[in-house]
């Protein structure tokens, strides 16, 4: 983690070492107080962004973690794995509260929350799904959208959650 100002580049560098394999995805919560990291070691770790301390227990998966997204209130984190599964975790307890859900046929490569109750996933199967999230379930409410002819590697949403943009290996 590097923090600093643009003009004089005073910085604090923290190397966060808990993972046993390559880190594939990172995200801050909305306030920037917590940092989340996902890894090929099948774990998601939560870090205190100021101190670099590990917060709570890692979230243990059954396959390599390739993507993650933090809900707007910071209470949940969605994770996507190499096997195409989707999970929703309670940040405070480090427990999986929804899933695993067989969300895609191949690697789940990208996630973004549209709102507290809507999530978008992109996959190497070339599809995008929009999920309706409740306290205990996630159901596809739109999709799969199969507009790409190759793997989707990134999805993002406009700040108001009304538009979704994706990138793919099909050059679009």
């Amino acid at each position: 983690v590097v923090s600093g100002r643009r003009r004089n580049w005073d910085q604090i560098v923290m190397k966060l070492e808990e993972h046993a394999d390559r880190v594939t995805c990172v995200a801050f919560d909305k306030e920037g107080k917590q940092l989340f990291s996902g890894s090929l070691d099948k774990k998601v770790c939560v870090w205190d962004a100021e101190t670099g301390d590990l917060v709570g227990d890692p979230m243990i998966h059954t396959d390599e973690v390739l993507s993650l997204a933090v809900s707007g209130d910071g209470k949940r984190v969605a994770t996507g794995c190499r096997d195409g599964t989707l999970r929703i975790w309670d940040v405070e307890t480090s427990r999986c509260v929804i899933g695993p859900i067989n969300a895609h046929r191949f690697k789940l490569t990208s996630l973004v929350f549209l709102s507290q109750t809507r999530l978008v996933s992109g996959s190497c199967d070339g599809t995008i799904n929009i999920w309706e999230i409740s306290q205990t379930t996630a159901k596809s409410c739109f999709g799969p959208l199969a507009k790409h002819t190759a793997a989707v590697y990134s999805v993002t949403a406009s700040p108001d959650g009304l538009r979704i943009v994706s990138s793919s290996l099909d050059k679009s």
Side-chain angles (χ1 to χ4, degrees):
V1 177
V2 177
S3 63
R5 294 183 299 272
R6 193 178 242 176
R7 293 207 184 271
N8 62 10
W9 294 101
D10 291 339
Q11 6 183 335
I12 299 170
V13 178
M14 289 185 282
K15 189 172 184 181
L16 308 176
E17 299 178 294
E18 174 64 26
H19 291 289
D21 206 335
R22 290 173 283 176
V23 174
T24 55
C25 48
V26 291
F28 280 104
D29 68 356
K30 189 175 181 178
E31 279 111 31
K33 294 181 179 182
Q34 290 186 318
L35 173 67
F36 297 77
S37 60
S39 170
L40 297 183
D41 67 5
K42 305 177 185 177
K43 293 192 297 189
V44 168
C45 293
V46 184
W47 309 88
D48 181 299
E50 287 293 316
T51 66
D53 293 335
L54 193 61
V55 177
D57 295 323
M59 300 168 196
I60 307 298
H61 295 68
T62 55
D63 205 351
E64 298 168 335
V65 180
L66 301 179
S67 57
L68 62 82
V70 183
S71 64
D73 64 5
K75 293 181 179 181
R76 289 186 169 189
V77 61
T79 58
C81 291
R82 182 175 294 279
D83 61 6
T85 57
L86 168 68
R87 290 172 177 80
I88 309 291
W89 300 79
D90 180 284
V91 172
E92 189 175 319
T93 65
S94 297
R95 289 188 172 195
C96 183
V97 293
I98 300 173
I101 296 167
N102 292 320
H104 292 275
R105 292 178 295 132
F106 303 122
K107 302 174 194 174
L108 202 162
T109 53
S110 188
L111 292 163
V112 64
F113 275 97
L114 296 177
S115 67
Q116 293 299 111
T117 59
R118 289 265 166 107
L119 178 73
V120 179
S121 61
S123 168
C124 279
D125 65 10
T127 65
I128 296 165
N129 253 319
I130 301 175
W131 302 90
E132 186 71 35
I133 309 287
S134 72
Q135 292 291 27
T136 57
T137 62
K139 294 181 181 179
S140 178
C141 64
F142 195 73
L145 301 170
K147 297 296 181 182
H148 289 289
T149 58
V152 173
Y153 266 83
S154 181
V155 293
T156 192
S158 60
D160 59 11
L162 298 177
R163 290 175 295 221
I164 299 166
V165 179
S166 60
S167 66
S168 170
L169 294 183
D170 67 5
K171 302 177 186 172
S172 67

